[in-house]
Amino acid sequence: MNFDSGTAYQELAVKLERLYHEAAPALIERVRSLLDRAAAERSAALKAVDDARRAHPGWTEASGETVYACYVDRFAGTLDGVIGKLDYLESLGISWLHPLPLLKARPIDSDGGFAVVDYRAVDPRLGDMPVLEKLAGEMRARGMGLMLDIVCNHTAREHDWARRARQGDPKYRAYYHVVETEAEVQVWEETLIDVFPDTAAGSFTHDAAMGGWVWTTFYPFQWDLNYANPDVFCEMLDILLFLANKGVQGFRLDSAPFLWKRPGTTCRNQPEAYAIVAAFRAALDIVAPSVVLLTEAIESPAHVIPFFGDGRAGCDLAYNNGVMTALWAGLADQDAGIVRAMMTAAAQRPDHAAWLNYVRCHDDLIWNALADYASIDDLTRWSVFYGGGGFSAGRRFQTAPGGVPSTNGMAAALVGLERPDIDQDLALARLRALYGTIHALDGWPMIYMGDEIALGNDRDFEADPARRGEGRWLQRPTMDWERAGSANGGGNPAGTMFDAMRRFGVAARALNDLGITGRATPIRLASDAVLAFAREDGCPFLCIVNLSAASLTVDRLPPWDGLGLDLLTGRKIPAGQVSLLPYEILWWFGGEVAPLVG
Ligand code: GLC
């Protein structure tokens, strides 16, 4: 949001009062000393980035700030390896790199790094703090930003705080939620929804040393932090400041909906969870205003949007999970209805907020997140379709009772590129349509590692005892650099996709220059199979996508009917009728400009 520091202090005070009531005044002084120290330690180079971004409020709303998400080890082995791949990322038009968690995690099973033992150290398997700073610096020099995953909802059971808690230190015991009787556990469980019901049933884990049941929303080794304790808030803020001063320009706040617990609720999306994120934002505005906050909340839009703040402090970015999931659903049904509904919901975001638009990520595709907009029959149909039916080579994943199974699989597998019985040209066209669409939406497009070369599922994960029990490893393959090499200029699927991805990025950035900056506004056309959206009413831009395997003709493009230009190819689109090949995507522009990307 980027407030001046006076306003940010006021915001911070409001949020801390909301969270900690009478403890707030003393806490504000404590936070002030953390902020003063961090401000004194912030380097001139980072302050220059702060000043530059502060001079352009609203810079986060520009299109084409493309993010690339990857696991460090699977992408390039180590952080040094990542530095060696910056040219590759630059050639793809990437502005931001989001490596999945890379801080020191517990050994062996760490839920892919989401069980951290030390937030101030890089996982030694990947590098160390100096090399992280070097990566951040090299990226800054190229005008790119490094966005780190901050696992703020829980620590590993082996974290020093948990270790001390288990040794009986009351200060650290109060960092976690410990329930002393089984009866109390049962009362909480009545309203909680399991995240991993098959592999980690329940939300509590008995720990003899703690003399009770520790709150573990995810795996038993991931201990939920108690944000009702202001010490926890200060610790996490101090970690954010420490990493921001190492040159990190963005944080992905992992599992943000779970930050606050309240009896009788699902303990997700509580008002205090929004206030915590807002307080982090306000504090960063004081010391490191250039740093962006991305909230990870895979929930219904009504629960995600409040993370952007109540018109004041809030996160800058949130995953556009609703539209992403709906795009897959729309492809399965060859019907744009659900996508339009989710776009309308996403358009309710506040002005300063930006969506992180994506097609796939390292987690499962959660159909249940569409439950406010679709019937259980719809959800079931999509779940079955992508769990190995339809054209998909995905697999079903666990779900809590009452929900439908989620889906695992790389985008390339879900569109059909791994199925010999499926037309491969059509499968590739589907992948292109999905990525072309998310680049045309308002917000930042994200490319999940490997999708730029249509990389398929990890077929080996089941041979690895450390991973075989967790289906999400299906979409966490090792980067295939040989395939990436063959993409260069090749007329193969990898090359077609790489080239398309690069063009989408260029075209997305060009939208800013053309003044096409409004939010995506769906438009209903005569054919249900065609998705169309403008970028706010009156703007001469329409993204038009054929979600079906049939060639179609659209008679009119309301409200425009004149000659247009496809911004993706520079091709002229005649007035009146528009013909679309199966899964074709057009970025119709009603102005006279030279072809952008030939
Ligand atoms: C987030 C991550 C997921 C992880 C969970 C627990 O949802 O994206 O991969 O398992 O948090 O940290």
Short mmCIF file of all heavy atoms in Angstrom, two decimals, residues 354-397:
data_model
loop_
_atom_site.label_atom_id
_atom_site.label_comp_id
_atom_site.label_asym_id
_atom_site.label_seq_id
_atom_site.Cartn_x
_atom_site.Cartn_y
_atom_site.Cartn_z
N ALA A 354 -3.50 -6.14 -6.19
CA ALA A 354 -3.21 -6.82 -7.46
C ALA A 354 -3.34 -8.33 -7.26
O ALA A 354 -2.88 -8.87 -6.25
CB ALA A 354 -1.80 -6.45 -7.93
N TRP A 355 -3.92 -8.97 -8.24
CA TRP A 355 -4.01 -10.44 -8.20
C TRP A 355 -2.73 -11.06 -8.73
O TRP A 355 -2.14 -10.54 -9.68
CB TRP A 355 -5.19 -10.94 -9.04
CG TRP A 355 -6.52 -10.64 -8.46
CD1 TRP A 355 -7.45 -9.76 -8.95
CD2 TRP A 355 -7.09 -11.21 -7.28
NE1 TRP A 355 -8.57 -9.76 -8.14
CE2 TRP A 355 -8.37 -10.63 -7.11
CE3 TRP A 355 -6.66 -12.15 -6.35
CZ2 TRP A 355 -9.21 -10.97 -6.05
CZ3 TRP A 355 -7.49 -12.49 -5.28
CH2 TRP A 355 -8.75 -11.90 -5.15
N LEU A 356 -2.36 -12.17 -8.14
CA LEU A 356 -1.32 -13.00 -8.73
C LEU A 356 -2.06 -14.07 -9.54
O LEU A 356 -2.74 -14.92 -8.97
CB LEU A 356 -0.44 -13.65 -7.65
CG LEU A 356 0.73 -14.44 -8.23
CD1 LEU A 356 1.79 -13.49 -8.77
CD2 LEU A 356 1.35 -15.35 -7.18
N ASN A 357 -1.96 -13.94 -10.85
CA ASN A 357 -2.72 -14.82 -11.73
C ASN A 357 -1.86 -16.01 -12.13
O ASN A 357 -0.72 -15.84 -12.54
CB ASN A 357 -3.17 -14.04 -12.96
CG ASN A 357 -4.10 -12.91 -12.56
OD1 ASN A 357 -5.12 -13.15 -11.91
ND2 ASN A 357 -3.75 -11.68 -12.91
N TYR A 358 -2.43 -17.19 -12.04
CA TYR A 358 -1.61 -18.38 -12.27
C TYR A 358 -2.46 -19.50 -12.86
O TYR A 358 -3.69 -19.43 -12.89
CB TYR A 358 -0.91 -18.81 -10.98
CG TYR A 358 -1.79 -19.29 -9.84
CD1 TYR A 358 -1.56 -20.51 -9.24
CD2 TYR A 358 -2.83 -18.51 -9.34
CE1 TYR A 358 -2.32 -20.96 -8.17
CE2 TYR A 358 -3.61 -18.95 -8.27
CZ TYR A 358 -3.35 -20.17 -7.69
OH TYR A 358 -4.13 -20.60 -6.64
N VAL A 359 -1.75 -20.51 -13.33
CA VAL A 359 -2.41 -21.67 -13.95
C VAL A 359 -2.20 -22.90 -13.06
O VAL A 359 -3.13 -23.66 -12.79
CB VAL A 359 -1.83 -21.92 -15.36
CG1 VAL A 359 -2.30 -23.25 -15.94
CG2 VAL A 359 -2.24 -20.78 -16.30
N ARG A 360 -0.97 -23.04 -12.58
CA ARG A 360 -0.66 -24.15 -11.67
C ARG A 360 0.37 -23.67 -10.66
O ARG A 360 1.03 -22.65 -10.85
CB ARG A 360 -0.07 -25.36 -12.44
CG ARG A 360 -1.06 -26.22 -13.14
CD ARG A 360 -2.08 -26.88 -12.18
NE ARG A 360 -1.54 -27.99 -11.40
CZ ARG A 360 -1.57 -28.02 -10.04
NH1 ARG A 360 -2.03 -27.02 -9.33
NH2 ARG A 360 -1.12 -29.09 -9.40
N CYS A 361 0.50 -24.42 -9.58
CA CYS A 361 1.54 -24.16 -8.59
C CYS A 361 1.97 -25.51 -8.02
O CYS A 361 1.58 -26.55 -8.53
CB CYS A 361 1.04 -23.21 -7.51
SG CYS A 361 -0.14 -23.96 -6.37
N HIS A 362 2.72 -25.47 -6.95
CA HIS A 362 3.28 -26.70 -6.36
C HIS A 362 2.23 -27.49 -5.58
O HIS A 362 2.50 -28.61 -5.17
CB HIS A 362 4.46 -26.34 -5.45
CG HIS A 362 4.01 -25.58 -4.24
ND1 HIS A 362 3.52 -24.29 -4.31
CD2 HIS A 362 3.94 -25.94 -2.93
CE1 HIS A 362 3.18 -23.90 -3.09
NE2 HIS A 362 3.43 -24.87 -2.24
N ASP A 363 1.08 -26.89 -5.32
CA ASP A 363 0.04 -27.56 -4.54
C ASP A 363 -1.01 -28.18 -5.45
O ASP A 363 -0.99 -28.00 -6.67
CB ASP A 363 -0.62 -26.58 -3.57
CG ASP A 363 0.25 -26.29 -2.35
OD1 ASP A 363 1.02 -27.19 -1.95
OD2 ASP A 363 0.15 -25.19 -1.80
N ASP A 364 -1.97 -28.85 -4.82
CA ASP A 364 -3.07 -29.46 -5.57
C ASP A 364 -4.07 -28.39 -6.01
O ASP A 364 -4.11 -27.29 -5.46
CB ASP A 364 -3.76 -30.52 -4.69
CG ASP A 364 -4.00 -30.02 -3.27
OD1 ASP A 364 -3.08 -29.43 -2.69
OD2 ASP A 364 -5.12 -30.19 -2.75
N LEU A 365 -4.85 -28.76 -6.99
CA LEU A 365 -5.92 -27.89 -7.52
C LEU A 365 -7.15 -28.16 -6.65
O LEU A 365 -7.68 -29.28 -6.67
CB LEU A 365 -6.15 -28.31 -8.96
CG LEU A 365 -6.85 -27.48 -9.99
CD1 LEU A 365 -6.32 -26.07 -10.03
CD2 LEU A 365 -6.63 -28.14 -11.36
N ILE A 366 -7.59 -27.15 -5.90
CA ILE A 366 -8.60 -27.39 -4.86
C ILE A 366 -9.98 -26.98 -5.36
O ILE A 366 -10.34 -25.80 -5.35
CB ILE A 366 -8.22 -26.65 -3.56
CG1 ILE A 366 -6.82 -27.10 -3.10
CG2 ILE A 366 -9.26 -26.88 -2.47
CD1 ILE A 366 -6.28 -26.37 -1.88
N TRP A 367 -10.75 -27.93 -5.82
CA TRP A 367 -12.10 -27.64 -6.36
C TRP A 367 -13.01 -27.09 -5.27
O TRP A 367 -13.89 -26.26 -5.55
CB TRP A 367 -12.71 -28.92 -6.96
CG TRP A 367 -11.82 -29.50 -7.99
CD1 TRP A 367 -11.07 -30.64 -7.88
CD2 TRP A 367 -11.50 -28.94 -9.27
NE1 TRP A 367 -10.31 -30.82 -9.01
CE2 TRP A 367 -10.56 -29.80 -9.87
CE3 TRP A 367 -11.91 -27.80 -9.96
CZ2 TRP A 367 -10.03 -29.55 -11.13
CZ3 TRP A 367 -11.38 -27.54 -11.21
CH2 TRP A 367 -10.46 -28.42 -11.79
N ASN A 368 -12.80 -27.55 -4.03
CA ASN A 368 -13.69 -27.11 -2.94
C ASN A 368 -13.67 -25.59 -2.77
O ASN A 368 -14.62 -25.02 -2.23
CB ASN A 368 -13.29 -27.77 -1.62
CG ASN A 368 -13.43 -29.29 -1.71
OD1 ASN A 368 -14.31 -29.79 -2.40
ND2 ASN A 368 -12.54 -30.01 -1.04
N ALA A 369 -12.61 -24.94 -3.22
CA ALA A 369 -12.54 -23.48 -3.08
C ALA A 369 -13.57 -22.78 -3.97
O ALA A 369 -13.79 -21.58 -3.83
CB ALA A 369 -11.13 -22.98 -3.40
N LEU A 370 -14.22 -23.52 -4.88
CA LEU A 370 -15.28 -22.93 -5.71
C LEU A 370 -16.67 -23.21 -5.16
O LEU A 370 -17.67 -22.91 -5.81
CB LEU A 370 -15.20 -23.48 -7.15
CG LEU A 370 -13.98 -23.11 -7.99
CD1 LEU A 370 -14.14 -23.66 -9.41
CD2 LEU A 370 -13.78 -21.59 -8.06
N ALA A 371 -16.71 -23.79 -3.96
CA ALA A 371 -18.00 -24.29 -3.44
C ALA A 371 -19.07 -23.21 -3.30
O ALA A 371 -20.26 -23.50 -3.36
CB ALA A 371 -17.79 -25.00 -2.10
N ASP A 372 -18.68 -21.95 -3.13
CA ASP A 372 -19.69 -20.88 -3.02
C ASP A 372 -20.33 -20.56 -4.37
O ASP A 372 -21.30 -19.81 -4.44
CB ASP A 372 -19.07 -19.59 -2.47
CG ASP A 372 -18.68 -19.72 -1.01
OD1 ASP A 372 -19.12 -20.69 -0.36
OD2 ASP A 372 -17.91 -18.85 -0.52
N TYR A 373 -19.75 -21.06 -5.44
CA TYR A 373 -20.20 -20.67 -6.78
C TYR A 373 -20.65 -21.84 -7.64
O TYR A 373 -21.07 -21.65 -8.77
CB TYR A 373 -19.07 -19.94 -7.51
CG TYR A 373 -18.73 -18.62 -6.87
CD1 TYR A 373 -17.85 -18.56 -5.79
CD2 TYR A 373 -19.33 -17.44 -7.30
CE1 TYR A 373 -17.56 -17.35 -5.16
CE2 TYR A 373 -19.04 -16.24 -6.69
CZ TYR A 373 -18.16 -16.20 -5.62
OH TYR A 373 -17.88 -15.02 -5.01
N ALA A 374 -20.47 -23.05 -7.14
CA ALA A 374 -20.78 -24.22 -7.96
C ALA A 374 -21.43 -25.29 -7.09
O ALA A 374 -21.21 -25.32 -5.88
CB ALA A 374 -19.50 -24.76 -8.59
N SER A 375 -22.22 -26.14 -7.72
CA SER A 375 -22.89 -27.20 -6.95
C SER A 375 -21.90 -28.33 -6.68
O SER A 375 -20.86 -28.43 -7.33
CB SER A 375 -24.07 -27.74 -7.77
OG SER A 375 -23.56 -28.43 -8.90
N ILE A 376 -22.27 -29.20 -5.77
CA ILE A 376 -21.40 -30.36 -5.47
C ILE A 376 -21.28 -31.24 -6.72
O ILE A 376 -20.23 -31.84 -6.96
CB ILE A 376 -21.92 -31.15 -4.23
CG1 ILE A 376 -20.94 -32.24 -3.82
CG2 ILE A 376 -23.30 -31.71 -4.45
CD1 ILE A 376 -19.72 -31.77 -3.10
N ASP A 377 -22.33 -31.26 -7.55
CA ASP A 377 -22.25 -32.04 -8.80
C ASP A 377 -21.19 -31.46 -9.74
O ASP A 377 -20.43 -32.19 -10.37
CB ASP A 377 -23.60 -32.05 -9.52
CG ASP A 377 -24.61 -32.91 -8.79
OD1 ASP A 377 -24.19 -33.66 -7.87
OD2 ASP A 377 -25.81 -32.82 -9.11
N ASP A 378 -21.17 -30.12 -9.81
CA ASP A 378 -20.14 -29.48 -10.65
C ASP A 378 -18.75 -29.83 -10.14
O ASP A 378 -17.87 -30.23 -10.90
CB ASP A 378 -20.28 -27.95 -10.60
CG ASP A 378 -21.55 -27.45 -11.28
OD1 ASP A 378 -22.04 -28.13 -12.19
OD2 ASP A 378 -22.03 -26.37 -10.88
N LEU A 379 -18.57 -29.64 -8.82
CA LEU A 379 -17.25 -29.89 -8.24
C LEU A 379 -16.82 -31.34 -8.48
O LEU A 379 -15.66 -31.61 -8.82
CB LEU A 379 -17.25 -29.59 -6.73
CG LEU A 379 -17.66 -28.18 -6.29
CD1 LEU A 379 -17.66 -28.06 -4.77
CD2 LEU A 379 -16.73 -27.12 -6.88
N THR A 380 -17.77 -32.25 -8.31
CA THR A 380 -17.46 -33.67 -8.49
C THR A 380 -17.07 -33.94 -9.95
O THR A 380 -16.09 -34.65 -10.22
CB THR A 380 -18.69 -34.53 -8.11
OG1 THR A 380 -19.08 -34.17 -6.80
CG2 THR A 380 -18.39 -36.01 -8.17
N ARG A 381 -17.83 -33.34 -10.86
CA ARG A 381 -17.54 -33.56 -12.29
C ARG A 381 -16.12 -33.10 -12.63
O ARG A 381 -15.36 -33.81 -13.28
CB ARG A 381 -18.58 -32.80 -13.12
CG ARG A 381 -18.49 -33.05 -14.61
CD ARG A 381 -19.63 -32.38 -15.37
NE ARG A 381 -19.58 -30.92 -15.33
CZ ARG A 381 -20.37 -30.15 -14.62
NH1 ARG A 381 -21.32 -30.68 -13.86
NH2 ARG A 381 -20.25 -28.83 -14.62
N TRP A 382 -15.73 -31.92 -12.13
CA TRP A 382 -14.39 -31.39 -12.44
C TRP A 382 -13.31 -32.25 -11.78
O TRP A 382 -12.27 -32.51 -12.37
CB TRP A 382 -14.28 -29.93 -11.98
CG TRP A 382 -15.27 -29.03 -12.64
CD1 TRP A 382 -15.76 -29.16 -13.92
CD2 TRP A 382 -15.94 -27.89 -12.07
NE1 TRP A 382 -16.68 -28.17 -14.18
CE2 TRP A 382 -16.82 -27.37 -13.08
CE3 TRP A 382 -15.91 -27.25 -10.84
CZ2 TRP A 382 -17.62 -26.24 -12.86
CZ3 TRP A 382 -16.70 -26.13 -10.63
CH2 TRP A 382 -17.55 -25.64 -11.63
N SER A 383 -13.60 -32.66 -10.56
CA SER A 383 -12.63 -33.48 -9.83
C SER A 383 -12.39 -34.81 -10.56
O SER A 383 -11.25 -35.26 -10.71
CB SER A 383 -13.16 -33.71 -8.42
OG SER A 383 -12.43 -34.70 -7.77
N VAL A 384 -13.46 -35.42 -11.03
CA VAL A 384 -13.33 -36.70 -11.74
C VAL A 384 -12.62 -36.49 -13.08
O VAL A 384 -11.72 -37.24 -13.46
CB VAL A 384 -14.74 -37.34 -11.95
CG1 VAL A 384 -14.66 -38.52 -12.91
CG2 VAL A 384 -15.33 -37.75 -10.61
N PHE A 385 -13.01 -35.42 -13.75
CA PHE A 385 -12.43 -35.11 -15.08
C PHE A 385 -10.91 -35.00 -14.98
O PHE A 385 -10.17 -35.63 -15.73
CB PHE A 385 -13.04 -33.79 -15.58
CG PHE A 385 -12.67 -33.44 -16.99
CD1 PHE A 385 -13.56 -33.66 -18.04
CD2 PHE A 385 -11.44 -32.86 -17.30
CE1 PHE A 385 -13.23 -33.32 -19.34
CE2 PHE A 385 -11.10 -32.52 -18.60
CZ PHE A 385 -12.00 -32.76 -19.63
N TYR A 386 -10.44 -34.19 -14.03
CA TYR A 386 -8.99 -33.95 -13.97
C TYR A 386 -8.22 -35.01 -13.18
O TYR A 386 -7.01 -35.11 -13.31
CB TYR A 386 -8.71 -32.55 -13.42
CG TYR A 386 -8.99 -31.50 -14.47
CD1 TYR A 386 -10.12 -30.69 -14.39
CD2 TYR A 386 -8.16 -31.37 -15.58
CE1 TYR A 386 -10.40 -29.75 -15.38
CE2 TYR A 386 -8.44 -30.43 -16.58
CZ TYR A 386 -9.56 -29.63 -16.46
OH TYR A 386 -9.83 -28.73 -17.46
N GLY A 387 -8.95 -35.78 -12.38
CA GLY A 387 -8.27 -36.83 -11.63
C GLY A 387 -7.94 -38.04 -12.50
O GLY A 387 -7.83 -39.16 -11.99
N GLY A 388 -7.83 -37.85 -13.79
CA GLY A 388 -7.46 -38.96 -14.69
C GLY A 388 -8.51 -39.22 -15.75
O GLY A 388 -8.31 -40.03 -16.65
N GLY A 389 -9.63 -38.52 -15.70
CA GLY A 389 -10.66 -38.66 -16.74
C GLY A 389 -10.45 -37.61 -17.81
O GLY A 389 -9.37 -37.04 -17.93
N GLY A 390 -11.50 -37.33 -18.57
CA GLY A 390 -11.43 -36.29 -19.61
C GLY A 390 -10.18 -36.43 -20.44
O GLY A 390 -9.81 -37.53 -20.84
N PHE A 391 -9.50 -35.32 -20.67
CA PHE A 391 -8.23 -35.39 -21.42
C PHE A 391 -7.03 -35.37 -20.48
O PHE A 391 -5.90 -35.30 -20.91
CB PHE A 391 -8.14 -34.23 -22.43
CG PHE A 391 -8.58 -32.88 -21.90
CD1 PHE A 391 -7.88 -32.24 -20.88
CD2 PHE A 391 -9.70 -32.24 -22.45
CE1 PHE A 391 -8.28 -31.00 -20.42
CE2 PHE A 391 -10.11 -30.99 -21.97
CZ PHE A 391 -9.39 -30.37 -20.95
N SER A 392 -7.29 -35.44 -19.17
CA SER A 392 -6.24 -35.17 -18.19
C SER A 392 -5.46 -36.41 -17.74
O SER A 392 -6.01 -37.51 -17.63
CB SER A 392 -6.92 -34.55 -16.96
OG SER A 392 -6.12 -34.67 -15.82
N ALA A 393 -4.18 -36.20 -17.45
CA ALA A 393 -3.37 -37.24 -16.82
C ALA A 393 -3.06 -36.83 -15.38
O ALA A 393 -1.99 -37.11 -14.87
CB ALA A 393 -2.10 -37.48 -17.61
N GLY A 394 -4.00 -36.16 -14.74
CA GLY A 394 -3.83 -35.79 -13.34
C GLY A 394 -4.25 -36.92 -12.43
O GLY A 394 -4.71 -37.97 -12.89
N ARG A 395 -4.05 -36.71 -11.13
CA ARG A 395 -4.46 -37.73 -10.16
C ARG A 395 -5.20 -37.08 -9.02
O ARG A 395 -4.93 -35.94 -8.65
CB ARG A 395 -3.23 -38.43 -9.57
CG ARG A 395 -2.46 -39.22 -10.59
CD ARG A 395 -1.44 -40.09 -9.88
NE ARG A 395 -0.41 -40.51 -10.80
CZ ARG A 395 0.75 -41.01 -10.44
NH1 ARG A 395 1.05 -41.12 -9.15
NH2 ARG A 395 1.65 -41.37 -11.33
N ARG A 396 -6.11 -37.84 -8.43
CA ARG A 396 -6.90 -37.28 -7.34
C ARG A 396 -6.06 -37.19 -6.07
O ARG A 396 -5.13 -37.97 -5.86
CB ARG A 396 -8.18 -38.08 -7.12
CG ARG A 396 -7.98 -39.57 -7.02
CD ARG A 396 -9.29 -40.29 -6.94
NE ARG A 396 -9.79 -40.27 -5.56
CZ ARG A 396 -11.06 -40.30 -5.24
NH1 ARG A 396 -11.99 -40.33 -6.17
NH2 ARG A 396 -11.43 -40.31 -3.98
N PHE A 397 -6.41 -36.22 -5.23
CA PHE A 397 -5.69 -36.00 -3.97
C PHE A 397 -6.71 -35.96 -2.85
O PHE A 397 -7.90 -35.75 -3.07
CB PHE A 397 -4.93 -34.67 -4.06
CG PHE A 397 -3.92 -34.43 -2.96
CD1 PHE A 397 -2.94 -35.37 -2.66
CD2 PHE A 397 -3.94 -33.25 -2.22
CE1 PHE A 397 -2.00 -35.13 -1.65
CE2 PHE A 397 -3.01 -33.00 -1.22
CZ PHE A 397 -2.04 -33.94 -0.93
#
